[in-house]
Amino acid sequence: MWEYSEKVLEHYRNPRNVGKIDDADLIGEAGSLACGDSLKLYLKLDGNIIKDAKFQTFGCGSAVASSSILTEMIIGKTLEEAKKITNKDIAEELGGLPQEKMHCSVMGQEALEDALKKYYGKEEIEEEAGLPKSGDKIVCTCFNVTENQIWEAIKVNGLKTVEEVTNYTKAGGACGRCKGLIKDIIDTYYKKEVKEEVLTPTQKILKISKVIDQQISPQLQKDGGDVELIDVEGNKVKVKLTGMCSGCKNATMTLKSFVESVLKDKVDANLEVEQV
């Protein structure tokens, strides 16, 4: 038996802002009756401020509570402020939700995003959310869950297993044939995170030095050359170069450009090499 916070029970028993806004400026939808849960969110604007919000939902008590608390969270906020609200914020505002019911808070976030896409444009919302460029590819056909929805749930909530993704999105919760695809999305996300890690200045210098010592220098030494790291100032790497470049693919690729291309690939794409 799932345990619910007092706030969840309160919003389920006495939901706020239920209904429809006939002259709504923005309308967002998420879920579907075929999947068991659906939500329609209505927003009335005063400039860029959300003056009123109402909802219509079909689903369990957690879905009602998540929709109710969401309307309270966004009324009075600017669109920019509302754009930053995640499903994690919705769940925390409710005092938490059982893992198996987290998909209800996700549905609330998705309905809000759907409404905002009609104001800002789909591409801007997805770019800010860090979603992949693959578009709205359906991964789970049983519950009509897209790749972007899974990606966003992983990003916001730090999900690392297929079971966690199912709890948050329902994907994989029926026939299970999409579980392999979900695992691939999880693996792809965390490979991307590792690749895009943010290094401190000290970490960057140490990594540059390591790449030079272990990958670049041995390559240059094949032709009797070498590279010596002199200094690192921000993204500018100062080196002393000698010899030739056996790793260069053609004659137009200089020794300096070879060193720079390796450092860009292995450390940071913004690095520039300066020969001293």
Side-chain angles (χ1 to χ4, degrees):
M1 188 70 179
W2 297 311
E3 293 186 6
Y4 296 98
S5 70
E6 284 300 320
K7 204 165 185 179
V8 170
L9 295 174
E10 166 62 18
H11 275 269
Y12 167 60
R13 293 165 181 156
N14 302 290
R16 283 65 154 172
N17 306 306
V18 178
K20 176 182 180 183
I21 300 177
D22 291 326
D23 59 345
D25 294 301
L26 298 173
I27 300 175
E29 297 182 77
S32 70
L33 291 178
C35 302
D37 295 300
S38 67
L39 169 62
K40 197 165 188 176
L41 183 67
Y42 301 85
L43 304 181
K44 185 65 180 175
L45 305 180
D46 182 5
N48 73 328
I49 296 174
I50 299 173
K51 181 180 178 180
D52 194 14
K54 293 188 182 300
F55 76 93
Q56 295 174 321
T57 190
F58 178 88
C60 63
S62 296
V64 173
S66 295
S67 304
S68 174
I69 198 74
L70 174 61
T71 59
E72 288 198 329
M73 291 170 69
I74 61 178
I75 291 175
K77 281 188 167 56
T78 66
L79 292 174
E80 284 296 321
E81 290 171 332
K83 190 162 57 169
K84 297 175 183 177
I85 293 174
T86 67
N87 77 279
K88 192 173 179 181
D89 297 326
I90 296 170
E92 287 178 353
E93 193 70 20
L94 283 170
L97 283 170
Q99 288 294 304
E100 295 83 358
K101 291 296 182 179
M102 284 299 293
H103 63 269
C104 297
S105 64
V106 172
M107 186 170 67
Q109 178 190 359
E110 288 173 353
L112 178 59
E113 286 183 348
D114 187 53
L116 295 178
K117 283 176 186 177
K118 294 161 187 172
Y119 183 88
Y120 288 102
K122 179 178 178 180
E123 290 184 1
E124 181 176 339
I125 294 294
E126 292 186 348
E127 182 179 349
E128 288 195 10
L131 299 176
K133 296 180 180 179
S134 52
D136 293 332
K137 174 184 174 184
I138 300 293
V139 174
C140 177
T141 55
C142 296
F143 292 112
N144 201 39
V145 182
T146 68
E147 180 178 1
N148 280 352
Q149 288 171 324
I150 294 172
W151 187 277
E152 174 73 358
I154 293 169
K155 176 177 180 287
V156 172
N157 302 285
L159 310 183
K160 294 186 177 180
T161 68
V162 175
E163 182 181 3
E164 288 176 332
V165 170
T166 300
N167 287 338
Y168 278 72
T169 68
K170 286 193 172 183
C175 73
R177 285 181 293 181
C178 62
K179 288 185 176 181
L181 290 174
I182 296 171
K183 181 65 166 60
D184 289 342
I185 294 172
I186 294 171
D187 291 343
T188 300
Y189 175 81
Y190 284 105
K191 285 178 183 175
K192 179 177 181 289
E193 287 294 288
V194 170
K195 187 175 181 181
E196 295 183 353
E197 64 178 334
V198 178
L199 301 175
T200 66
T202 300
Q203 290 173 327
K204 183 183 288 187
I205 293 171
L206 290 173
K207 193 167 185 178
I208 290 170
S209 179
K210 183 177 180 180
V211 170
I212 288 176
D213 290 342
Q214 297 183 2
Q215 298 182 50
I216 299 176
S217 186
Q219 185 69 38
L220 298 182
Q221 288 171 358
K222 292 179 182 179
D223 290 322
D226 210 344
V227 56
E228 179 185 352
L229 178 62
I230 303 300
D231 195 12
V232 178
E233 296 178 356
N235 287 324
K236 185 161 291 186
V237 182
K238 298 182 179 182
V239 298
K240 182 178 181 181
L241 301 166
T242 57
M244 298 178 64
C245 172
S246 62
C248 297
K249 296 180 180 179
N250 54 61
T252 62
M253 189 175 192
T254 66
L255 186 59
K256 171 181 169 294
S257 63
F258 168 70
V259 174
E260 186 172 87
S261 68
V262 175
L263 290 178
K264 282 178 177 287
D265 180 57
K266 302 298 182 181
V267 183
D268 188 331
N270 297 309
L271 293 178
E272 294 181 6
V273 170
E274 178 181 305
Q275 188 171 356
V276 297

